[in-house]
Amino acid sequence: LALAAAIALGAAHRAPAAWAAVPLAAAGGLIAVAAAGGVLRQILPGAWTVPACLACGIALLTVRGTRLPPTLRRGLWWSSAAVQALALSWTLPVVALVLLGPAGRTAHVWSGAPSDARDAVTVPASWPPGADTAALVLAAVAVVLALAFRSGPHRLRARSGASALAWVTALVLPATLHLPYGAALLWHGAATVAALTAAAHAHTRATEGRSSTADRPDRISATDRISAADRLSLPTATALGLAFLGSLHLAALSLAAEAATLAVLAGLTALFTTAAARQGHKPVGAVSAAPALAYATALACATGASLGLPPHHTALLVLLVPATAALLAPRLDDAALKVSVEVTGAVAGLLAISLAAAEPPALALVLALCGVIAAGTAVRQDRGWAGYAATTLFVLATWVRLAAWEVGSPEAYTLPVTVPALIAGYVRRNRDAQVPSWPAYGPGLVVTLVPSLLAVWGDPGGPRPLLLGAASLAVTLLGVRHRLRAPLLLGGAALVLTALHELAPYAAQAMGSLPRWAPPALAGLLLLALGATYEQRLQDARRARESLNKMR
């Protein structure tokens, strides 16, 4: 292998074209690493084989300051990068186990604290053999990445990659060292705090760099003239993503013990709330607000479970989160932060509704409280649309309460919708007289008249036909009085159908007592009468159509 490496490097040194020299040099570097790693494998323990090969690969980077041809140096750099990539791929099973292993605790929540950090993450699988040096490999590649690109156009990407590798190293280290369970929780909590602090620091550095670039544009090279958004987004977004991922990992780890769960969720809520408060006008604050409310919601659920509360009682605790969000949002200046807070509060409200779904009385109360929160939000000028959500929630709360009382009358369900809809239509037409009556009053009338008509036609008796007929007559007269097309037509149609339903038995009885020739004779007389007054009926129809067209 050493001879083959020497031949490849010699051929690369003498190759006249770069397209041939770079691959030959890269192959020579890889063969040299394989030769050195083969020797070291016989000397070192099995767990140190990959770190030893990685050290050989990193050693190839020392050609940077030599007088070797550029093509040869570039090829050796590529071989070093390949060795580092292979070393990182060797650590992937360990990283995946540590990162995803705590998710197995969701099936065994509060089953008892594990013995150490490794036991906490090896829920679905065992620890890979010979993986105790994975943290060393990750840390070495992170250091190389940070030092190799201290300047140049790729320094921001390299800095973000080094930060991610350093965070993964911190993630793997407790399980590698068999730290106690409590110490592992503290370690991961400190890593989350560090990532969130790094995000704020990265944003500050990007802002200062943008200011200095604006002040001295002649001292910046063309490759460094990146947009301020790009300079800001990559390191900050990387650190924020790591902080959020670390918090999820920490929360999953804490599910093993009740006290740990409550302490971790309370700490994460306080951490992200502090970040949102101190960085409120910056992207870090806007992104931290949603996790703060999310962990507050999880803390409310965990508190309810710890106190032994049923789910519908826990829902009332969860409602504190959307109430807090509704009170906090108007006091925020940043639009993105405001939307983040409101969306998270809405999701918490949906969770509260789902928790109370099994108990109709509690569900009605939760829906009503959500309606109160939405109504309070609708008071703001920029959130007037929340009034529709508040109305819907109040109506649903009424319906659920009526269903819990086993009320079967359709009017009890439709009138709570009709009355607000008609009031809203009346207010709308008062503000703008040109609004047609169909969009103003049509939906409200249809919601009540149609279900009541269906109930009348399926109801053999009772006062409903009389009440519906009286209501339809009143609606029709109001339509005629105020020249409104929707009440006239809907009320008239409901009145006619109700009258037909009531007169149908008597008509059938009368028709049964007449001779067989009487119905055709009556139909013929009716046709003769219509034919004799055909012109007059056409004029009446035209006048009726014109009157309807003049109505709104």
Side-chain angles (χ1 to χ4, degrees), residues 33-34 36-59 79-94 128-141:
V33 171
V39 174
L40 294 174
R41 184 177 182 180
Q42 303 300 320
I43 303 173
L44 299 174
W48 289 89
T49 301
V50 174
C53 293
L54 176 62
C56 297
I58 294 174
S79 60
S80 177
V83 172
Q84 295 179 61
L86 290 173
L88 288 179
S89 66
W90 174 75
T91 65
L92 287 180
V94 180
D132 289 340
T133 56
L136 179 62
V137 171
L138 292 165
V141 177

mmCIF file of all heavy atoms in Angstrom, residues 33-34 36-59 79-94 128-141:
data_model
loop_
_atom_site.group_PDB
_atom_site.id
_atom_site.type_symbol
_atom_site.label_atom_id
_atom_site.label_comp_id
_atom_site.label_asym_id
_atom_site.label_seq_id
_atom_site.Cartn_x
_atom_site.Cartn_y
_atom_site.Cartn_z
ATOM 1 N N VAL A 33 -3.373 6.608 3.820
ATOM 2 C CA VAL A 33 -4.126 6.486 5.066
ATOM 3 C C VAL A 33 -4.466 5.032 5.346
ATOM 4 O O VAL A 33 -4.384 4.559 6.501
ATOM 5 C CB VAL A 33 -5.405 7.349 4.997
ATOM 6 C CG1 VAL A 33 -6.309 7.067 6.186
ATOM 7 C CG2 VAL A 33 -5.040 8.817 4.956
ATOM 8 N N ALA A 34 -4.833 4.288 4.306
ATOM 9 C CA ALA A 34 -5.136 2.867 4.499
ATOM 10 C C ALA A 34 -3.905 2.105 4.963
ATOM 11 O O ALA A 34 -3.994 1.215 5.819
ATOM 12 C CB ALA A 34 -5.669 2.281 3.190
ATOM 13 N N ALA A 36 -1.228 3.362 6.673
ATOM 14 C CA ALA A 36 -0.924 3.724 8.063
ATOM 15 C C ALA A 36 -1.975 3.166 9.012
ATOM 16 O O ALA A 36 -1.656 2.686 10.109
ATOM 17 C CB ALA A 36 -0.842 5.244 8.186
ATOM 18 N N GLY A 37 -3.258 3.220 8.612
ATOM 19 C CA GLY A 37 -4.311 2.696 9.476
ATOM 20 C C GLY A 37 -4.205 1.206 9.655
ATOM 21 O O GLY A 37 -4.510 0.673 10.729
ATOM 22 N N GLY A 38 -3.759 0.479 8.626
ATOM 23 C CA GLY A 38 -3.577 -0.967 8.759
ATOM 24 C C GLY A 38 -2.516 -1.317 9.764
ATOM 25 O O GLY A 38 -2.651 -2.300 10.508
ATOM 26 N N VAL A 39 -1.457 -0.519 9.809
ATOM 27 C CA VAL A 39 -0.409 -0.768 10.802
ATOM 28 C C VAL A 39 -0.915 -0.450 12.209
ATOM 29 O O VAL A 39 -0.713 -1.210 13.165
ATOM 30 C CB VAL A 39 0.846 0.068 10.462
ATOM 31 C CG1 VAL A 39 1.890 -0.077 11.563
ATOM 32 C CG2 VAL A 39 1.413 -0.364 9.122
ATOM 33 N N LEU A 40 -1.575 0.718 12.335
ATOM 34 C CA LEU A 40 -2.054 1.125 13.662
ATOM 35 C C LEU A 40 -3.129 0.181 14.189
ATOM 36 O O LEU A 40 -3.283 0.030 15.404
ATOM 37 C CB LEU A 40 -2.605 2.554 13.596
ATOM 38 C CG LEU A 40 -1.571 3.649 13.289
ATOM 39 C CD1 LEU A 40 -2.264 4.995 13.093
ATOM 40 C CD2 LEU A 40 -0.544 3.737 14.417
ATOM 41 N N ARG A 41 -3.859 -0.443 13.290
ATOM 42 C CA ARG A 41 -4.909 -1.362 13.727
ATOM 43 C C ARG A 41 -4.335 -2.566 14.475
ATOM 44 O O ARG A 41 -5.006 -3.130 15.351
ATOM 45 C CB ARG A 41 -5.715 -1.806 12.508
ATOM 46 C CG ARG A 41 -6.900 -2.697 12.840
ATOM 47 C CD ARG A 41 -7.677 -3.038 11.598
ATOM 48 N NE ARG A 41 -8.836 -3.847 11.907
ATOM 49 C CZ ARG A 41 -9.709 -4.310 11.001
ATOM 50 N NH1 ARG A 41 -9.524 -3.988 9.728
ATOM 51 N NH2 ARG A 41 -10.727 -5.041 11.354
ATOM 52 N N GLN A 42 -3.134 -2.957 14.104
ATOM 53 C CA GLN A 42 -2.500 -4.086 14.776
ATOM 54 C C GLN A 42 -1.946 -3.721 16.149
ATOM 55 O O GLN A 42 -1.660 -4.599 16.955
ATOM 56 C CB GLN A 42 -1.357 -4.623 13.894
ATOM 57 C CG GLN A 42 -1.784 -5.030 12.504
ATOM 58 C CD GLN A 42 -2.833 -6.127 12.525
ATOM 59 O OE1 GLN A 42 -2.750 -7.049 13.340
ATOM 60 N NE2 GLN A 42 -3.823 -6.040 11.638
ATOM 61 N N ILE A 43 -1.786 -2.426 16.389
ATOM 62 C CA ILE A 43 -1.167 -1.983 17.639
ATOM 63 C C ILE A 43 -2.217 -1.544 18.658
ATOM 64 O O ILE A 43 -2.136 -1.880 19.837
ATOM 65 C CB ILE A 43 -0.176 -0.831 17.358
ATOM 66 C CG1 ILE A 43 0.881 -1.276 16.346
ATOM 67 C CG2 ILE A 43 0.464 -0.333 18.637
ATOM 68 C CD1 ILE A 43 1.779 -0.161 15.881
ATOM 69 N N LEU A 44 -3.220 -0.758 18.162
ATOM 70 C CA LEU A 44 -4.203 -0.135 19.059
ATOM 71 C C LEU A 44 -5.396 -1.056 19.281
ATOM 72 O O LEU A 44 -5.663 -1.965 18.482
ATOM 73 C CB LEU A 44 -4.679 1.191 18.468
ATOM 74 C CG LEU A 44 -3.590 2.250 18.248
ATOM 75 C CD1 LEU A 44 -4.182 3.452 17.525
ATOM 76 C CD2 LEU A 44 -2.977 2.674 19.577
ATOM 77 N N PRO A 45 -6.180 -0.820 20.356
ATOM 78 C CA PRO A 45 -7.439 -1.565 20.544
ATOM 79 C C PRO A 45 -8.413 -1.295 19.404
ATOM 80 O O PRO A 45 -8.309 -0.292 18.682
ATOM 81 C CB PRO A 45 -7.959 -1.024 21.884
ATOM 82 C CG PRO A 45 -6.769 -0.465 22.575
ATOM 83 C CD PRO A 45 -5.853 0.043 21.502
ATOM 84 N N GLY A 46 -9.383 -2.176 19.254
ATOM 85 C CA GLY A 46 -10.313 -2.066 18.129
ATOM 86 C C GLY A 46 -11.105 -0.780 18.112
ATOM 87 O O GLY A 46 -11.424 -0.234 17.041
ATOM 88 N N ALA A 47 -11.443 -0.222 19.277
ATOM 89 C CA ALA A 47 -12.236 0.999 19.325
ATOM 90 C C ALA A 47 -11.471 2.212 18.819
ATOM 91 O O ALA A 47 -12.074 3.242 18.499
ATOM 92 C CB ALA A 47 -12.715 1.256 20.752
ATOM 93 N N TRP A 48 -10.145 2.094 18.748
ATOM 94 C CA TRP A 48 -9.315 3.242 18.337
ATOM 95 C C TRP A 48 -8.900 3.168 16.875
ATOM 96 O O TRP A 48 -8.101 3.986 16.427
ATOM 97 C CB TRP A 48 -8.075 3.327 19.227
ATOM 98 C CG TRP A 48 -8.404 3.760 20.618
ATOM 99 C CD1 TRP A 48 -8.735 2.954 21.667
ATOM 100 C CD2 TRP A 48 -8.475 5.095 21.091
ATOM 101 N NE1 TRP A 48 -9.008 3.699 22.773
ATOM 102 C CE2 TRP A 48 -8.847 5.029 22.459
ATOM 103 C CE3 TRP A 48 -8.260 6.345 20.511
ATOM 104 C CZ2 TRP A 48 -9.011 6.152 23.248
ATOM 105 C CZ3 TRP A 48 -8.407 7.462 21.295
ATOM 106 C CH2 TRP A 48 -8.789 7.383 22.634
ATOM 107 N N THR A 49 -9.414 2.224 16.125
ATOM 108 C CA THR A 49 -9.038 2.102 14.714
ATOM 109 C C THR A 49 -9.502 3.312 13.907
ATOM 110 O O THR A 49 -8.728 3.912 13.157
ATOM 111 C CB THR A 49 -9.629 0.817 14.124
ATOM 112 O OG1 THR A 49 -9.149 -0.301 14.854
ATOM 113 C CG2 THR A 49 -9.254 0.683 12.662
ATOM 114 N N VAL A 50 -10.764 3.668 14.064
ATOM 115 C CA VAL A 50 -11.292 4.811 13.305
ATOM 116 C C VAL A 50 -10.629 6.120 13.719
ATOM 117 O O VAL A 50 -10.223 6.914 12.862
ATOM 118 C CB VAL A 50 -12.826 4.887 13.456
ATOM 119 C CG1 VAL A 50 -13.375 6.146 12.788
ATOM 120 C CG2 VAL A 50 -13.481 3.669 12.839
ATOM 121 N N PRO A 51 -10.457 6.423 15.027
ATOM 122 C CA PRO A 51 -9.724 7.646 15.368
ATOM 123 C C PRO A 51 -8.300 7.667 14.824
ATOM 124 O O PRO A 51 -7.796 8.734 14.436
ATOM 125 C CB PRO A 51 -9.743 7.644 16.896
ATOM 126 C CG PRO A 51 -10.941 6.863 17.263
ATOM 127 C CD PRO A 51 -11.047 5.803 16.222
ATOM 128 N N ALA A 52 -7.635 6.508 14.792
ATOM 129 C CA ALA A 52 -6.281 6.471 14.253
ATOM 130 C C ALA A 52 -6.270 6.791 12.760
ATOM 131 O O ALA A 52 -5.441 7.585 12.277
ATOM 132 C CB ALA A 52 -5.661 5.092 14.504
ATOM 133 N N CYS A 53 -7.197 6.194 12.014
ATOM 134 C CA CYS A 53 -7.291 6.513 10.578
ATOM 135 C C CYS A 53 -7.656 7.975 10.370
ATOM 136 O O CYS A 53 -7.163 8.626 9.443
ATOM 137 C CB CYS A 53 -8.306 5.599 9.911
ATOM 138 S SG CYS A 53 -7.824 3.860 9.857
ATOM 139 N N LEU A 54 -8.531 8.506 11.237
ATOM 140 C CA LEU A 54 -8.897 9.912 11.121
ATOM 141 C C LEU A 54 -7.686 10.805 11.375
ATOM 142 O O LEU A 54 -7.494 11.809 10.679
ATOM 143 C CB LEU A 54 -10.010 10.235 12.119
ATOM 144 C CG LEU A 54 -10.454 11.695 12.194
ATOM 145 C CD1 LEU A 54 -11.019 12.156 10.850
ATOM 146 C CD2 LEU A 54 -11.477 11.899 13.294
ATOM 147 N N ALA A 55 -6.861 10.445 12.349
ATOM 148 C CA ALA A 55 -5.647 11.231 12.604
ATOM 149 C C ALA A 55 -4.722 11.218 11.396
ATOM 150 O O ALA A 55 -4.124 12.254 11.042
ATOM 151 C CB ALA A 55 -4.934 10.685 13.839
ATOM 152 N N CYS A 56 -4.608 10.088 10.738
ATOM 153 C CA CYS A 56 -3.796 10.032 9.518
ATOM 154 C C CYS A 56 -4.394 10.909 8.419
ATOM 155 O O CYS A 56 -3.665 11.583 7.673
ATOM 156 C CB CYS A 56 -3.673 8.588 9.046
ATOM 157 S SG CYS A 56 -2.822 7.495 10.190
ATOM 158 N N GLY A 57 -5.714 10.880 8.314
ATOM 159 C CA GLY A 57 -6.351 11.725 7.305
ATOM 160 C C GLY A 57 -6.176 13.199 7.600
ATOM 161 O O GLY A 57 -5.949 14.013 6.693
ATOM 162 N N ILE A 58 -6.280 13.572 8.882
ATOM 163 C CA ILE A 58 -6.088 14.981 9.250
ATOM 164 C C ILE A 58 -4.650 15.410 8.996
ATOM 165 O O ILE A 58 -4.384 16.561 8.625
ATOM 166 C CB ILE A 58 -6.483 15.189 10.725
ATOM 167 C CG1 ILE A 58 -7.996 14.960 10.899
ATOM 168 C CG2 ILE A 58 -6.114 16.584 11.202
ATOM 169 C CD1 ILE A 58 -8.467 15.010 12.338
ATOM 170 N N ALA A 59 -3.717 14.476 9.160
ATOM 171 C CA ALA A 59 -2.304 14.801 8.923
ATOM 172 C C ALA A 59 -2.048 15.215 7.475
ATOM 173 O O ALA A 59 -1.087 15.952 7.189
ATOM 174 C CB ALA A 59 -1.425 13.606 9.287
ATOM 175 N N SER A 79 -8.637 13.887 -0.329
ATOM 176 C CA SER A 79 -8.508 12.596 0.344
ATOM 177 C C SER A 79 -8.719 12.741 1.843
ATOM 178 O O SER A 79 -9.355 11.889 2.481
ATOM 179 C CB SER A 79 -7.136 11.984 0.054
ATOM 180 O OG SER A 79 -6.100 12.843 0.522
ATOM 181 N N SER A 80 -8.202 13.841 2.432
ATOM 182 C CA SER A 80 -8.447 14.086 3.849
ATOM 183 C C SER A 80 -9.931 14.287 4.123
ATOM 184 O O SER A 80 -10.473 13.770 5.117
ATOM 185 C CB SER A 80 -7.646 15.305 4.313
ATOM 186 O OG SER A 80 -7.931 15.604 5.660
ATOM 187 N N ALA A 81 -10.606 15.033 3.260
ATOM 188 C CA ALA A 81 -12.046 15.238 3.433
ATOM 189 C C ALA A 81 -12.812 13.922 3.338
ATOM 190 O O ALA A 81 -13.768 13.683 4.089
ATOM 191 C CB ALA A 81 -12.556 16.228 2.392
ATOM 192 N N ALA A 82 -12.376 13.038 2.426
ATOM 193 C CA ALA A 82 -13.047 11.742 2.298
ATOM 194 C C ALA A 82 -12.862 10.904 3.555
ATOM 195 O O ALA A 82 -13.801 10.249 4.037
ATOM 196 C CB ALA A 82 -12.506 11.005 1.077
ATOM 197 N N VAL A 83 -11.653 10.914 4.118
ATOM 198 C CA VAL A 83 -11.415 10.159 5.347
ATOM 199 C C VAL A 83 -12.269 10.699 6.485
ATOM 200 O O VAL A 83 -12.862 9.939 7.267
ATOM 201 C CB VAL A 83 -9.915 10.215 5.710
ATOM 202 C CG1 VAL A 83 -9.678 9.590 7.088
ATOM 203 C CG2 VAL A 83 -9.095 9.478 4.670
ATOM 204 N N GLN A 84 -12.354 12.018 6.609
ATOM 205 C CA GLN A 84 -13.180 12.601 7.667
ATOM 206 C C GLN A 84 -14.652 12.269 7.461
ATOM 207 O O GLN A 84 -15.385 12.006 8.435
ATOM 208 C CB GLN A 84 -12.973 14.109 7.700
ATOM 209 C CG GLN A 84 -11.568 14.531 8.097
ATOM 210 C CD GLN A 84 -11.399 16.034 8.096
ATOM 211 O OE1 GLN A 84 -12.076 16.740 8.830
ATOM 212 N NE2 GLN A 84 -10.479 16.527 7.273
ATOM 213 N N ALA A 85 -15.117 12.284 6.211
ATOM 214 C CA ALA A 85 -16.514 11.928 5.946
ATOM 215 C C ALA A 85 -16.789 10.475 6.309
ATOM 216 O O ALA A 85 -17.837 10.145 6.893
ATOM 217 C CB ALA A 85 -16.844 12.183 4.477
ATOM 218 N N LEU A 86 -15.854 9.575 5.994
ATOM 219 C CA LEU A 86 -16.036 8.170 6.365
ATOM 220 C C LEU A 86 -16.037 8.001 7.879
ATOM 221 O O LEU A 86 -16.813 7.202 8.431
ATOM 222 C CB LEU A 86 -14.924 7.331 5.733
ATOM 223 C CG LEU A 86 -14.993 7.166 4.213
ATOM 224 C CD1 LEU A 86 -13.746 6.457 3.690
ATOM 225 C CD2 LEU A 86 -16.237 6.391 3.806
ATOM 226 N N ALA A 87 -15.186 8.760 8.572
ATOM 227 C CA ALA A 87 -15.165 8.675 10.027
ATOM 228 C C ALA A 87 -16.483 9.163 10.620
ATOM 229 O O ALA A 87 -17.013 8.575 11.579
ATOM 230 C CB ALA A 87 -13.996 9.487 10.579
ATOM 231 N N LEU A 88 -17.026 10.244 10.058
ATOM 232 C CA LEU A 88 -18.324 10.736 10.543
ATOM 233 C C LEU A 88 -19.428 9.718 10.274
ATOM 234 O O LEU A 88 -20.335 9.539 11.096
ATOM 235 C CB LEU A 88 -18.658 12.071 9.881
ATOM 236 C CG LEU A 88 -17.839 13.286 10.330
ATOM 237 C CD1 LEU A 88 -18.269 14.523 9.562
ATOM 238 C CD2 LEU A 88 -18.007 13.524 11.834
ATOM 239 N N SER A 89 -19.390 9.066 9.122
ATOM 240 C CA SER A 89 -20.415 8.063 8.832
ATOM 241 C C SER A 89 -20.343 6.894 9.822
ATOM 242 O O SER A 89 -21.365 6.273 10.131
ATOM 243 C CB SER A 89 -20.252 7.554 7.401
ATOM 244 O OG SER A 89 -19.032 6.840 7.255
ATOM 245 N N TRP A 90 -19.150 6.627 10.334
ATOM 246 C CA TRP A 90 -19.015 5.565 11.339
ATOM 247 C C TRP A 90 -19.712 5.932 12.645
ATOM 248 O O TRP A 90 -20.188 5.061 13.386
ATOM 249 C CB TRP A 90 -17.523 5.314 11.579
ATOM 250 C CG TRP A 90 -17.241 4.350 12.698
ATOM 251 C CD1 TRP A 90 -17.379 2.996 12.678
ATOM 252 C CD2 TRP A 90 -16.780 4.686 14.008
ATOM 253 N NE1 TRP A 90 -17.036 2.455 13.900
ATOM 254 C CE2 TRP A 90 -16.650 3.480 14.735
ATOM 255 C CE3 TRP A 90 -16.450 5.878 14.637
ATOM 256 C CZ2 TRP A 90 -16.222 3.442 16.051
ATOM 257 C CZ3 TRP A 90 -16.018 5.841 15.948
ATOM 258 C CH2 TRP A 90 -15.897 4.645 16.642
ATOM 259 N N THR A 91 -19.814 7.213 12.934
ATOM 260 C CA THR A 91 -20.458 7.651 14.179
ATOM 261 C C THR A 91 -21.975 7.757 14.062
ATOM 262 O O THR A 91 -22.652 7.971 15.080
ATOM 263 C CB THR A 91 -19.914 9.026 14.609
ATOM 264 O OG1 THR A 91 -20.299 10.016 13.632
ATOM 265 C CG2 THR A 91 -18.402 9.000 14.753
ATOM 266 N N LEU A 92 -22.523 7.632 12.856
ATOM 267 C CA LEU A 92 -23.960 7.845 12.677
ATOM 268 C C LEU A 92 -24.828 6.896 13.518
ATOM 269 O O LEU A 92 -25.839 7.340 14.102
ATOM 270 C CB LEU A 92 -24.321 7.720 11.197
ATOM 271 C CG LEU A 92 -23.874 8.878 10.298
ATOM 272 C CD1 LEU A 92 -24.290 8.633 8.850
ATOM 273 C CD2 LEU A 92 -24.444 10.200 10.798
ATOM 274 N N PRO A 93 -24.531 5.596 13.609
ATOM 275 C CA PRO A 93 -25.393 4.747 14.459
ATOM 276 C C PRO A 93 -25.441 5.206 15.910
ATOM 277 O O PRO A 93 -26.508 5.173 16.547
ATOM 278 C CB PRO A 93 -24.748 3.356 14.319
ATOM 279 C CG PRO A 93 -24.033 3.402 13.012
ATOM 280 C CD PRO A 93 -23.523 4.808 12.880
ATOM 281 N N VAL A 94 -24.291 5.661 16.447
ATOM 282 C CA VAL A 94 -24.271 6.117 17.837
ATOM 283 C C VAL A 94 -25.091 7.399 17.981
ATOM 284 O O VAL A 94 -25.882 7.556 18.924
ATOM 285 C CB VAL A 94 -22.817 6.347 18.298
ATOM 286 C CG1 VAL A 94 -22.791 6.826 19.744
ATOM 287 C CG2 VAL A 94 -22.015 5.077 18.142
ATOM 288 N N PRO A 128 -23.769 0.302 20.395
ATOM 289 C CA PRO A 128 -22.924 -0.350 19.378
ATOM 290 C C PRO A 128 -21.551 -0.699 19.937
ATOM 291 O O PRO A 128 -20.958 0.078 20.690
ATOM 292 C CB PRO A 128 -22.825 0.709 18.269
ATOM 293 C CG PRO A 128 -23.981 1.619 18.501
ATOM 294 C CD PRO A 128 -24.208 1.630 19.967
ATOM 295 N N PRO A 129 -21.008 -1.850 19.577
ATOM 296 C CA PRO A 129 -19.680 -2.229 20.095
ATOM 297 C C PRO A 129 -18.582 -1.333 19.518
ATOM 298 O O PRO A 129 -18.598 -0.972 18.341
ATOM 299 C CB PRO A 129 -19.521 -3.682 19.631
ATOM 300 C CG PRO A 129 -20.451 -3.810 18.466
ATOM 301 C CD PRO A 129 -21.600 -2.881 18.736
ATOM 302 N N GLY A 130 -17.623 -0.992 20.344
ATOM 303 C CA GLY A 130 -16.497 -0.187 19.906
ATOM 304 C C GLY A 130 -16.834 1.247 19.586
ATOM 305 O O GLY A 130 -16.078 1.913 18.857
ATOM 306 N N ALA A 131 -17.958 1.763 20.125
ATOM 307 C CA ALA A 131 -18.380 3.120 19.778
ATOM 308 C C ALA A 131 -18.031 4.136 20.856
ATOM 309 O O ALA A 131 -18.527 5.258 20.810
ATOM 310 C CB ALA A 131 -19.891 3.138 19.541
ATOM 311 N N ASP A 132 -17.174 3.769 21.791
ATOM 312 C CA ASP A 132 -16.858 4.702 22.876
ATOM 313 C C ASP A 132 -15.994 5.864 22.417
ATOM 314 O O ASP A 132 -15.847 6.854 23.151
ATOM 315 C CB ASP A 132 -16.153 3.957 24.010
ATOM 316 C CG ASP A 132 -17.106 3.028 24.746
ATOM 317 O OD1 ASP A 132 -18.327 3.242 24.635
ATOM 318 O OD2 ASP A 132 -16.629 2.081 25.405
ATOM 319 N N THR A 133 -15.386 5.757 21.243
ATOM 320 C CA THR A 133 -14.538 6.843 20.747
ATOM 321 C C THR A 133 -15.270 7.727 19.732
ATOM 322 O O THR A 133 -14.645 8.564 19.074
ATOM 323 C CB THR A 133 -13.280 6.262 20.087
ATOM 324 O OG1 THR A 133 -13.674 5.340 19.059
ATOM 325 C CG2 THR A 133 -12.408 5.558 21.106
ATOM 326 N N ALA A 134 -16.589 7.563 19.609
ATOM 327 C CA ALA A 134 -17.333 8.354 18.624
ATOM 328 C C ALA A 134 -17.287 9.840 18.961
ATOM 329 O O ALA A 134 -17.160 10.689 18.066
ATOM 330 C CB ALA A 134 -18.776 7.870 18.555
ATOM 331 N N ALA A 135 -17.365 10.167 20.252
ATOM 332 C CA ALA A 135 -17.318 11.580 20.643
ATOM 333 C C ALA A 135 -15.983 12.208 20.260
ATOM 334 O O ALA A 135 -15.931 13.376 19.838
ATOM 335 C CB ALA A 135 -17.552 11.712 22.148
ATOM 336 N N LEU A 136 -14.886 11.443 20.386
ATOM 337 C CA LEU A 136 -13.571 11.967 20.003
ATOM 338 C C LEU A 136 -13.504 12.252 18.507
ATOM 339 O O LEU A 136 -12.945 13.273 18.080
ATOM 340 C CB LEU A 136 -12.488 10.956 20.401
ATOM 341 C CG LEU A 136 -11.050 11.328 20.045
ATOM 342 C CD1 LEU A 136 -10.641 12.606 20.752
ATOM 343 C CD2 LEU A 136 -10.109 10.181 20.398
ATOM 344 N N VAL A 137 -14.069 11.365 17.698
ATOM 345 C CA VAL A 137 -14.093 11.571 16.241
ATOM 346 C C VAL A 137 -14.885 12.822 15.888
ATOM 347 O O VAL A 137 -14.446 13.658 15.074
ATOM 348 C CB VAL A 137 -14.670 10.322 15.545
ATOM 349 C CG1 VAL A 137 -14.914 10.594 14.068
ATOM 350 C CG2 VAL A 137 -13.752 9.141 15.728
ATOM 351 N N LEU A 138 -16.044 12.988 16.488
ATOM 352 C CA LEU A 138 -16.877 14.154 16.203
ATOM 353 C C LEU A 138 -16.172 15.442 16.611
ATOM 354 O O LEU A 138 -16.177 16.438 15.868
ATOM 355 C CB LEU A 138 -18.204 14.032 16.945
ATOM 356 C CG LEU A 138 -19.148 12.920 16.460
ATOM 357 C CD1 LEU A 138 -20.247 12.672 17.484
ATOM 358 C CD2 LEU A 138 -19.747 13.289 15.113
ATOM 359 N N ALA A 139 -15.549 15.445 17.788
ATOM 360 C CA ALA A 139 -14.854 16.652 18.240
ATOM 361 C C ALA A 139 -13.672 16.987 17.345
ATOM 362 O O ALA A 139 -13.420 18.157 17.035
ATOM 363 C CB ALA A 139 -14.389 16.457 19.687
ATOM 364 N N ALA A 140 -12.919 15.972 16.902
ATOM 365 C CA ALA A 140 -11.760 16.226 16.036
ATOM 366 C C ALA A 140 -12.178 16.840 14.709
ATOM 367 O O ALA A 140 -11.572 17.810 14.228
ATOM 368 C CB ALA A 140 -11.007 14.912 15.814
ATOM 369 N N VAL A 141 -13.227 16.327 14.084
ATOM 370 C CA VAL A 141 -13.692 16.884 12.809
ATOM 371 C C VAL A 141 -14.228 18.300 13.012
ATOM 372 O O VAL A 141 -14.038 19.177 12.160
ATOM 373 C CB VAL A 141 -14.762 15.963 12.187
ATOM 374 C CG1 VAL A 141 -15.296 16.570 10.890
ATOM 375 C CG2 VAL A 141 -14.179 14.590 11.904
#
